[in-house]
Amino acid sequence: MTTVTLSPTICPSHRKCLKLQNSEEKKSIINTAFAIAMYYIPFHLRSSVSQENLRGLPKQYLIPPQQPSHLFTTVAKLCSNMELDNAFFFKGLPNRVNLNAHNAQSVFMSVAKETFADGTKNWGRVLAIYTLAGCMSLYFLLQNELVIVKSIPYWVKEFVSIHLADWIEEQGGWDDLPKKLSNDSNNQSSWSKVIAVGGVVAATAGLFLFST
């Protein structure tokens, strides 16, 4: 007697549901990327200048949220530390790339792409993108280019959507970031190296493409 083995099949409706689920998860990741930018950039600006300098920006730039999520505060803390640890690099960034209102978006996108040009993705490099966004936002705020300041979170969202959303989904979503970057001293030590090497050094290579 011949035994016939039937291959498992997925009905079209179930396949459609899986595709929709993946689409919804990716959309959630992209929306969270934007929400993080909309938390960190105003946080960075409020920490760097007086309230008077923030006039003309939307309310969320002036008034911090009452109960930010653990994810948001973790990103803000780590990005702030990254900038402090590499102050010379970030403070010299605008002059190094001849940054201005006309090339701001292209510089941001090109440097962000260069950060991942070797194919390596990790949370340190992701954080470097947010640190870069905060640095550029402060520069253009002081230049009174408020339209650009308000545009930068959307550039972050666009970059994550195109280049990072799939990888973040593979990690289990944004919730993986605070888990990996816990308060454990050993983890902090190892991840600080990842941030320094994987993020800032890679970004530096990209930035020098724009130097003259």
Side-chain angles (χ1 to χ4, degrees):
M1 181 177 178
T2 303
T3 302
V4 178
T5 303
L6 298 177
S7 300
T9 59
I10 300 176
C11 69
S13 61
H14 183 55
R15 187 179 291 111
K16 184 177 181 180
C17 287
L18 289 175
K19 186 176 181 180
L20 180 62
Q21 181 180 355
N22 291 337
S23 175
E24 289 301 316
E25 289 174 357
K26 189 170 182 179
K27 185 185 297 184
S28 175
I29 286 169
I30 294 167
N31 288 338
T32 300
F34 178 71
I36 293 171
M38 285 302 300
Y39 175 79
Y40 173 65
I41 291 174
F43 168 87
H44 180 64
L45 297 181
R46 288 192 302 269
S47 302
S48 304
V49 300
S50 66
Q51 285 281 323
E52 184 177 347
N53 292 107
L54 299 174
R55 289 179 181 175
L57 289 172
K59 182 179 178 181
Q60 61 263 44
Y61 284 81
L62 302 170
I63 304 173
Q66 291 186 346
Q67 294 181 323
S69 71
H70 179 54
L71 171 63
F72 291 3
T73 57
T74 298
V75 170
K77 177 182 177 181
L78 291 168
C79 288
S80 297
N81 288 341
M82 179 185 287
E83 183 170 3
L84 285 173
D85 291 343
N86 301 275
F88 177 80
F89 166 77
F90 283 108
K91 286 182 179 179
L93 181 150
N95 290 333
R96 193 173 294 122
V97 300
N98 299 316
L99 189 62
N100 58 65
H102 301 291
N103 68 8
Q105 184 173 7
S106 62
V107 167
F108 176 83
M109 290 297 182
S110 296
V111 172
K113 288 178 185 177
E114 188 66 23
T115 303
F116 299 93
D118 64 357
T120 300
K121 292 183 175 71
N122 58 47
W123 286 120
R125 297 191 183 198
V126 174
L127 290 174
I129 302 306
Y130 282 89
T131 307
L132 174 66
C135 177
M136 290 181 63
S137 296
L138 178 59
Y139 174 77
F140 283 110
L141 174 66
L142 297 177
Q143 300 296 317
N144 202 34
E145 295 282 359
L146 301 187
V147 172
I148 295 179
V149 174
K150 291 184 287 185
S151 298
I152 291 175
Y154 293 91
W155 302 348
V156 175
K157 180 181 180 181
E158 179 182 346
F159 184 82
V160 171
S161 174
I162 297 171
H163 300 284
L164 296 177
D166 290 337
W167 179 83
I168 293 172
E169 185 175 6
E170 290 170 4
Q171 310 314 303
W174 284 102
D175 289 341
D176 181 65
L177 191 153
K179 291 177 184 177
K180 289 283 179 64
L181 305 180
S182 69
N183 290 324
D184 179 78
S185 59
N186 292 328
N187 284 341
Q188 285 284 6
S189 176
S190 62
W191 272 98
S192 66
K193 294 177 182 177
V194 172
I195 291 170
V197 176
V200 176
V201 173
T204 303
L207 288 169
F208 276 112
L209 294 177
F210 295 90
S211 61
T212 57

